[in-house]
Amino acid sequence: LLGMMAVTMLISCEKDPQPEPEPDPVNPEDPAVLVLLPNAVTDIEGHQYDAVQIGSQVWMAENLRAHRYADSTPIPHYDNTNGWQLRIYYPDNDMSNVEKYGYLYNWYTAVRGETAGSEANPSGIQGVCPDGWHLPSDAEWTQLTDYLSQHHISCGDAPTAIAKALADSIGWETSYVECA
């Protein structure tokens, strides 16, 4: 299950930067700020997702349940371009888990074949994300983890401490690091 968490974290979506501040902006210097934004994202199929503002960044708080890209192009479950490979997965190989956990996409599908801009902040790669959102680059992940570390938002000193601090408190198997 921890391996699945890493895959889903790698294909999280982050909101594209806005030219003007949104109403009631959150102070990114406030260490207590992790603001839930209910139903902040709607994908091409009409599924709604919560988002969370963490410092100056806004991240999706749920995995996508879409089987089409934002331009309505279907995401095939299999691709035979480089031999048959699965492109979109059901969590635990069970279609009934999609509603709760979302789909899992392989990397090529998540980035939709794009590579340019993957190190920029913002990355500029929409990939599988809904309109107005993009896949985060390493620089954006670093910005997130730096912010959380600077504001002591973690569950200890273990490598999984930040991820556990952001994870839901239910629905995960426990491991050696527990958040109080």
Side-chain angles (χ1 to χ4, degrees), residues 95-140:
M95 188 181 347
S96 68
N97 287 330
V98 172
E99 185 60 34
K100 182 175 182 179
Y101 300 111
Y103 283 114
L104 305 175
Y105 308 92
N106 72 13
W107 184 249
Y108 180 82
T109 303
V111 299
R112 199 172 183 183
E114 296 181 55
T115 56
S118 63
E119 296 305 315
N121 188 349
S123 74
I125 297 177
Q126 180 178 3
V128 74
C129 297
D131 282 337
W133 293 77
H134 65 274
L135 292 167
S137 64
D138 285 342
E140 291 168 287

Side-chain angles (χ1 to χ4, degrees), residues 159-178:
T160 58
I162 289 175
K164 284 207 170 276
L166 297 176
D168 196 332
S169 59
I170 58 172
W172 294 96
E173 292 182 16
T174 59
S175 68
Y176 67 93
V177 178
E178 294 290 327

Side-chain angles (χ1 to χ4, degrees), residues 40-113:
V41 185
T42 303
D43 68 24
I44 190 70
E45 297 168 13
H47 302 113
Q48 291 191 313
Y49 307 90
D50 293 343
V52 63
Q53 181 162 354
I54 304 171
S56 62
Q57 295 177 307
V58 178
W59 296 79
M60 287 184 65
E62 301 178 65
N63 291 333
L64 286 171
R65 295 184 298 276
H67 61 275
R68 291 185 289 152
Y69 289 107
D71 67 0
S72 295
T73 301
I75 300 170
H77 283 265
Y78 291 94
D79 180 11
N80 66 354
T81 305
N82 297 315
W84 287 97
Q85 62 181 349
L86 199 55
R87 295 184 66 179
I88 187 170
Y89 302 79
Y90 305 123
D92 287 334
N93 219 16
D94 184 347
M95 188 181 347
S96 68
N97 287 330
V98 172
E99 185 60 34
K100 182 175 182 179
Y101 300 111
Y103 283 114
L104 305 175
Y105 308 92
N106 72 13
W107 184 249
Y108 180 82
T109 303
V111 299
R112 199 172 183 183

